[in-house]
């Protein structure tokens, strides 16, 4: 919860707002697209992080990227799912944050992205900052400010 006494919501480190890596669904760079589509479908998420076996962050994979990769001229080429790997298709230009970044930086990035991956200084994956978590905190802040106004 945001503390109104100490204030400065936007200046807070994002560390306390992230979903830790062990609770984030992910795939590995060498997995085939069939496996990635299974993970996306089973978890219900539209995009998830791509890591290597040492947990280094490499990019994001999403259902639209997978569908685009198997889209033929006249039909969806489902047989490609087995042969293409995540590394061939993922978005490797996704922005990242570090735990020490201020929430303000995360907030700006979340305007255009539903979640941002957090990495350490060597690029190892630490977790994600999602729109849901930030909006929940902001909603609580607005509510507290409203109650304070009524005092
Ligand atoms: O399975 C779900 N469980 C819950 N609790 N909420 C879900 C689930 N699937 C979707 N949602 C809700 C969340 O509010 O729909 C929003 C959009 O989902 P998305 O993007 O398009 O799949 C969710 O918003 P969010 O929590 O702010 O999450 C933003 C995005 O972050 C999600 C997904 O791409 C990613 N994400 C969130 N939690 C994740 C995750 N990726 C992997 N593992 C997780 N635990």
């Amino acid at each position: 919860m945001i503390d109104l006494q100490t204030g400065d919501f936007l200046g807070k480190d994002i560390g306390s707002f992230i979903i830790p890596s062990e609770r984030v669904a992910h795939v590995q760079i060498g997995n085939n697209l069939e496996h990635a589509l299974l993970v996306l479908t089973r978890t219900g998420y539209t995009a998830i992080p791509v890591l290597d076996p040492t947990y280094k962050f490499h990019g994001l994979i999403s259902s639209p990227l997978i569908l685009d990769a198997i889209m033929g001229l006249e039909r969806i080429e489902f047989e490609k799912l087995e042969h293409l790997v995540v590394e061939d298709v993922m978005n490797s230009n996704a922005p990242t944050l570090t735990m020490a970044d201020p929430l303000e930086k995360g907030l700006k990035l979340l305007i255009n992205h539903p979640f941002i991956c957090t990495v350490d200084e060597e690029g190892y994956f630490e977790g994600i900052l999602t729109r849901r978590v930030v909006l929940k905190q902001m909603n609580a802040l607005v509510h507290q400010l409203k109650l304070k106004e009524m005092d």
Side-chain angles (χ1 to χ4, degrees):
M1 182 69 77
I2 302 150
D3 183 359
L4 279 183
Q5 305 307 315
T6 51
D8 200 14
F9 171 55
L10 293 177
K12 274 178 174 282
D13 290 354
I14 63 152
S16 47
F17 300 100
I18 72 157
I19 298 175
S21 58
E22 59 273 17
R23 284 179 41 210
V24 178
H26 72 274
V27 288
Q28 295 204 355
I29 40 175
N31 289 148
N32 66 18
L33 294 191
E34 187 174 16
H35 177 80
L37 197 56
L38 264 173
V39 176
L40 285 161
T41 307
R42 290 246 166 88
T43 58
Y45 295 120
T46 45
I48 51 175
V50 180
L51 311 180
D52 70 16
T54 69
Y55 254 61
K56 255 195 178 163
F57 173 72
H58 287 262
L60 300 178
I61 189 76
S62 65
S63 319
L65 279 176
I66 294 176
L67 281 177
D68 192 50
I70 61 169
M71 194 65 73
L73 283 179
E74 289 180 357
R75 65 178 191 92
I76 301 174
E77 296 166 353
F78 288 106
E79 63 278 12
K80 281 189 174 172
L81 285 174
E82 199 185 327
H83 305 295
L84 288 171
V85 292
V86 168
E87 197 174 11
D88 300 332
V89 170
M90 68 185 185
N91 168 15
S92 41
N93 294 317
T96 57
L97 290 162
T98 68
M99 292 277 208
D101 280 329
L103 189 60
E104 186 173 10
K105 186 174 172 189
L107 205 55
K108 276 186 191 144
L109 289 170
L110 285 174
I111 293 171
N112 291 319
H113 305 271
F115 71 105
I116 309 294
C117 291
T118 309
V119 296
D120 70 9
E121 55 290 343
E122 287 168 27
Y124 289 100
F125 180 67
E126 294 186 312
I128 57 174
L129 180 70
T130 64
R131 274 187 190 154
R132 182 174 189 271
V133 167
V134 173
L135 283 174
K136 211 172 151 189
Q137 294 292 333
M138 290 187 77
N139 182 51
L141 178 63
V142 170
H143 194 68
Q144 282 183 55
L145 289 171
K146 223 168 138 188
L147 288 178
K148 218 177 167 200
E149 254 177 35
M150 283 160 58
D151 275 351

